[in-house]
Amino acid sequence: MVRTRIAPSPTGSDVHVGSIATALMNYAWAKKNNGQFIIRIEDTDRTRIVEGGEAQMLKTLKRIGLVADESPIVGGPYAPYRQSERLDIYKKYAEELVAKGKAYYCICTPERLTKMRNEQQTKKQIPKYDRLCLKKQDQISKIKDQTPHVIRLQIPEGQIKFNDAVRGEITIDAKNIDDQVILKSDGFPTYHLGVVIDDYLMKITHVIRGEEWLPSTPKHVILYRAFGWELPVFAHISLLRNPDKSKLSKRKNPVWTSYYLDQGIFPEALLNYLALMGWSHPEGKDIFSLEEYIRVFDIKDIQTSSPVFDPVKLEWMNGMYIRQKSIRQLADQILEFYKDKKLDEALVEKSIPLIQERIKKLSDYLTLCEFFFKAPEKYEIDITDKKDFFGKVHSELEKVADWKALAIGESLANLAKKLEIKNSQFFADMRMVITGKKISPPLNESMEILGKNECLKRLTIN
Ligand code: GLU
């Protein structure tokens, strides 16, 4: 059975959008093959853990709909696998490698290691552990229980070859690889040991992950072979870039997934956009559902070029999703998005035909439509010197009996003509007094929705 996973480390305050792109491929590949997708929290680097990071990550993954098919608590509430709860397992396997002569204990102090590294650097050598302890294993095994120690993997000589489903065959000369620490003195495994043991025990068949892990993979391959385990399929995908091709980082654009969701980007639109990062729909489509993606996605079609994550395009795509909604559906989403504001439901529904084509995310709604719910408290352009003008408009509009956009528009256009004011100026002033803004939904229609009394009230400015 195909089993995939994502293995985030809670070292950030939320899930990076690039990790969602990776998670999505893993999720899709599992679903496509009637397999299973799991979530494993890799929390073994205790110094880098961000408090609350794990809870936030799980919340975001759930919000976006990428939920795991399995939990270590059978029959209980959902929980992810957590490496910090599996320390006994890593220790047992690390010791097994020592017993097999594939790994060894090391009691070197940090001071000695620093000194050794400095000397190697002065001699312009690649810094590598000099295997001092390897020669003293008999001695060390007698005192190790009373002495702080780590376990190191003994990197074998020769070439390491493996296949990557995206990048093809990869060959690395092992002579440049240091004897990695696989179990730390605090009993925690390092990433390499934890990831290999868990991917094996959790029966992961396909490891789809970011290319930043490619340099680690030869070490993993050595570990798989040392244990005598079969390799999973590796697929290393390219990292997301900013539109200027720089690495996606917080400095240029927001990278946290909840930032986009909180702005009212729909989870399905974000997934749709991220699906296009490093993969294209076989028919060249931009907009497709998750079900369709699962149907047509194939690991072999993952591209190696660096995908560009452009928030402007993401918003454009979300706008397409907004347009596909019925008025009722969009109203529900807007009401839910702004639930603290307790917006008038009927008014929201009436306003939608005026803005559905214009907004790109839910948070655009009130920027455009706040004036429906309350009169402007300030105006983007000062109109205090136009009291007389608005007085004239007031008298004219009072006469409109049938308060409909068409009649309102005609009455305003007639007045503009009579006063010899250019239409553009006339309507800009009207827009300002009614909405407080230079940009608004179509004015006559908005005035119809606001009602005659409210419009006349807004024309009386102080
Ligand atoms: N813990 C690693 C991370 O934070 C997982 C890398 C992998 O998928 O093997 O992304």
Side-chain angles (χ1 to χ4, degrees), residues 141 225 240:
S141 58
R225 296 200 173 132
L240 306 192

Side-chain angles (χ1 to χ4, degrees), residues 53-233:
E54 180 196 303
Q56 179 60 39
M57 284 177 164
L58 294 172
K59 198 167 140 197
T60 302
L61 285 163
K62 190 165 171 197
R63 234 175 131 185
I64 202 143
L66 299 179
V67 290
D69 292 310
E70 188 175 289
S71 165
I73 311 175
V74 179
Y78 171 75
Y81 288 96
R82 256 184 224 107
Q83 290 192 324
S84 58
E85 292 165 358
R86 301 165 54 79
L87 300 186
D88 291 351
I89 301 175
Y90 310 120
K91 184 162 186 280
K92 174 179 149 251
Y93 280 99
E95 282 171 351
E96 186 185 311
L97 284 188
V98 177
K100 283 175 141 182
K102 308 273 185 189
Y104 59 93
Y105 296 110
C106 174
I107 55 167
C108 287
T109 60
E111 292 73 29
R112 171 169 194 272
L113 294 172
T114 312
K115 192 161 160 260
M116 179 196 76
R117 250 178 249 123
N118 290 342
E119 282 169 15
Q120 288 169 332
Q121 250 152 22
T122 3
K123 288 190 216 149
K124 302 241 173 327
Q125 294 168 340
I126 299 176
K128 267 172 79 173
Y129 181 60
D130 60 5
R131 295 192 167 167
L132 179 69
C133 286
L134 180 58
K135 297 162 203 135
K136 308 189 289 187
Q137 287 299 286
D138 285 350
Q139 239 172 302
I140 295 174
S141 58
K142 286 189 202 107
I143 56 160
K144 73 170 173 48
D145 291 341
Q146 299 81 264
T147 319
H149 65 274
V150 301
I151 295 182
R152 286 182 186 272
L153 179 64
Q154 187 177 344
I155 303 291
E157 278 172 24
Q159 309 254 301
I160 302 153
K161 275 200 182 81
F162 63 93
N163 195 65
D164 186 285
V166 178
R167 280 148 217 275
E169 187 167 90
I170 296 186
T171 310
I172 296 275
D173 194 337
K175 78 169 184 294
N176 298 328
I177 306 178
D178 194 9
D179 278 357
Q180 302 290 309
V181 172
I182 53 173
L183 197 74
K184 294 182 278 186
S185 56
D186 59 3
F188 279 78
T190 55
Y191 161 63
H192 305 304
L193 183 72
V195 80
V196 166
I197 292 181
D198 283 345
D199 284 342
Y200 170 74
L201 292 179
M202 295 174 192
K203 300 189 166 51
I204 301 302
T205 55
H206 295 74
V207 171
I208 308 172
R209 64 183 167 200
E211 65 183 331
E212 74 267 39
W213 305 103
L214 191 56
S216 299
T217 310
K219 299 164 198 167
H220 302 173
V221 171
I222 294 172
L223 277 164
Y224 277 99
R225 296 200 173 132
F227 282 117
W229 296 337
E230 209 180 299
L231 297 182
V233 173

Side-chain angles (χ1 to χ4, degrees), residues 246-264:
S246 60
K247 191 175 157 223
L248 198 64
S249 76
K250 282 176 266 190
R251 261 162 286 137
K252 293 261 165 63
N253 279 315
V255 296
W256 300 132
T257 306
S258 38
Y259 167 84
Y260 293 99
L261 300 177
D262 290 346
Q263 292 217 322

